[in-house]
Amino acid sequence: MDKKLFTNIVMVNAGADEVKRILSNPQRMLQWIPEITTVDQGDNGFIVKRNGAALNQSELIQVETSDNEITYISTEGRLEYRLAFSLRTENEQTVIQEDLYLPDDADRHLPVTLLAPIAKHAFHTNLINLAAVVEMLTSEKG
């Protein structure tokens, strides 16, 4: 149904539970995605608004969590997507892998192959920001 557009990976010096706790709360996106201006709880998920020239100026994000995966499902924007974060422990660190999936028909509306490298870079930058926020919050606790 969906096709994977790209994968990014980062390692953090924090436990998987800490990473999951932060990712499970979309309002935390304000701390690690600079272009997001507001995250409001709505009836069916979180309404996210961005400033600047974003593909999705506004979108609705629903969060699904399982043991080692947190998935953001975005609808009501120009581009619907599913962003899956998988967590695993390696050498006392947590590996965060994000996979971005698009609906099969996404390329009928947008030049997906042209957007892929730009999106991959932007998401990777945000993932690095997430790692920094996780490590900062974890070190404050300790």
Side-chain angles (χ1 to χ4, degrees):
M1 178 192 140
D2 290 351
K3 62 180 171 210
K4 188 191 299 189
L5 192 62
F6 60 76
T7 297
N8 286 317
I9 295 175
V10 72
M11 291 182 88
V12 293
N13 292 309
D17 289 346
E18 192 69 22
V19 177
K20 187 174 181 179
R21 196 172 56 74
I22 291 166
L23 281 173
S24 297
N25 179 358
Q27 291 176 320
R28 292 274 193 180
M29 288 191 296
L30 290 162
Q31 294 175 285
W32 56 278
I33 304 177
E35 62 271 12
I36 289 182
T37 52
T38 60
V39 178
D40 294 317
Q41 175 79 57
D43 293 338
N44 301 320
F46 292 84
I47 299 137
V48 176
K49 297 200 182 304
R50 289 178 175 78
N51 63 10
L55 195 57
N56 287 350
Q57 293 284 167
S58 175
E59 63 189 317
L60 179 72
I61 291 185
Q62 294 171 309
V63 180
E64 291 179 355
T65 58
S66 63
D67 287 346
N68 294 316
E69 193 165 288
I70 299 92
T71 304
Y72 291 178
I73 299 159
S74 171
T75 57
E76 298 183 17
R78 286 209 330 236
L79 180 65
E80 295 191 352
Y81 63 88
R82 188 166 51 89
L83 185 62
F85 296 95
S86 309
L87 309 177
R88 72 178 189 275
T89 304
E90 209 172 277
N91 301 324
E92 297 179 23
Q93 291 184 308
T94 300
V95 177
I96 308 170
Q97 175 176 321
E98 70 175 1
D99 296 302
L100 184 79
Y101 297 89
L102 298 181
D104 287 335
D105 64 352
D107 51 6
R108 283 197 301 220
H109 313 294
L110 293 161
V112 171
T113 50
L114 295 176
L115 292 172
I118 299 162
K120 179 178 170 73
H121 178 75
F123 275 80
H124 188 249
T125 300
N126 290 338
L127 191 62
I128 292 167
N129 292 344
L130 169 66
V133 167
V134 168
E135 289 182 355
M136 182 190 72
L137 292 172
T138 304
S139 69
E140 283 175 3
K141 281 181 145 184

